[in-house]
Amino acid sequence: GKKPKDVEISIPIVYGNIAFWLGKKASEYHSHKWTVYVRGSTNEDLGPFIKRAVFQLHSSFNNPTRVVDSPPFELSESGWGEFEIAITLHFHSEVCDKPLNLYHHLKLYPEDENSSMSTKKPVVVEFYDEIVFPDPSEAFLARAQGH
Ligand code: SLL
C-alpha cells in the first residue's frame, strides 16, 4: 500500500511538430520548414526539470544529433521528408538521473484529401503526455513547489 507521505510528481508536457510548406520557395530537398518541440502543456517553463533535449534526426541531415541545452526545447530545420525523431530528455540531477526517450514521427504533409498543401495553413501534430516521477527527492519536491 501507499504510505500517506508518498508523493509523485507529474509534469504535463506536449511534444510534436509544426511544418510549413514553402510553396514557390520550395526546392527538391527543402520543401518544408519545420520545428519539433517539447513544451509544458500550458506553456510552463520546463527549464527547472529538463536540463537538455537531444533530437536525433534522419541520417540525411548534416550533424543529425542536435543538442538543445536550454529552453525552449525545440529544433527547427528544413527538409523534404517525414521520419521518426528520437527525443532524449535529460533531467537535472536532483530530478532524475535516468534520461527519458520520446519518439515523434515528423509530419509534413496533410493527412486527409480535403486539406491540400498550403503555405498559409501549417501541419501540426502533437501529443499530450505526463512525465511521472514516482519517488521524487526532497530537493526535487522543493523545486516543484516553487514552480
Ligand atoms: C523518406 N524515410 O524516404 C524517409 C526519409 C528523410 C528526409 C526522409 C533531409 C533534408 C536535407 C531530409 O529532409 N530528409 O537534406 O537537409 O521519406
Side-chain angles (χ1 to χ4, degrees):
K2 268 203 154 198
K3 288 171 282 162
K5 71 167 198 177
D6 281 355
V7 244
E8 59 179 36
I9 292 179
S10 170
I11 311 289
I13 61 162
V14 167
Y15 64 96
N17 80 265
I18 182 167
F20 289 86
W21 180 47
L22 294 176
K24 281 185 192 135
K25 293 185 196 136
S27 62
E28 190 177 1
Y29 293 106
H30 300 279
S31 57
H32 291 73
K33 274 190 193 279
W34 52 261
T35 300
V36 58
Y37 51 83
V38 181
R39 59 171 178 80
S41 67
T42 56
N43 260 326
E44 57 272 57
D45 181 17
L46 295 178
F49 311 110
I50 298 174
K51 182 175 63 178
R52 169 180 309 131
V54 180
F55 297 91
Q56 185 63 48
L57 306 183
H58 188 265
S59 56
S60 54
F61 283 86
N62 288 329
N63 308 313
T65 306
R66 305 293 175 86
V67 178
V68 179
D69 274 313
S70 59
F73 298 106
E74 61 178 43
L75 179 84
S76 297
E77 256 298 352
S78 65
W80 56 269
E82 302 180 342
F83 59 94
E84 184 174 72
I85 302 179
I87 308 167
T88 306
L89 301 179
H90 298 267
F91 303 101
H92 293 288
S93 58
E94 65 270 41
V95 170
C96 184
D97 287 330
K98 220 180 93 199
L100 177 72
N101 288 316
L102 301 172
Y103 298 90
H104 176 68
H105 196 88
L106 178 70
K107 192 110 191 70
L108 305 183
Y109 297 92
E111 194 67 20
D112 57 296
E113 291 296 307
N114 302 325
S115 50
S116 54
M117 303 259 288
S118 154
T119 54
K120 298 197 180 88
K121 206 168 143 271
V123 170
V124 178
V125 176
E126 57 177 37
F127 298 93
Y128 175 90
D129 210 339
E130 286 167 16
I131 309 176
V132 178
F133 302 95
D135 190 19
S137 69
E138 290 295 327
F140 182 14
L141 279 172
R143 179 176 283 225
Q145 258 131 38
H147 186 59

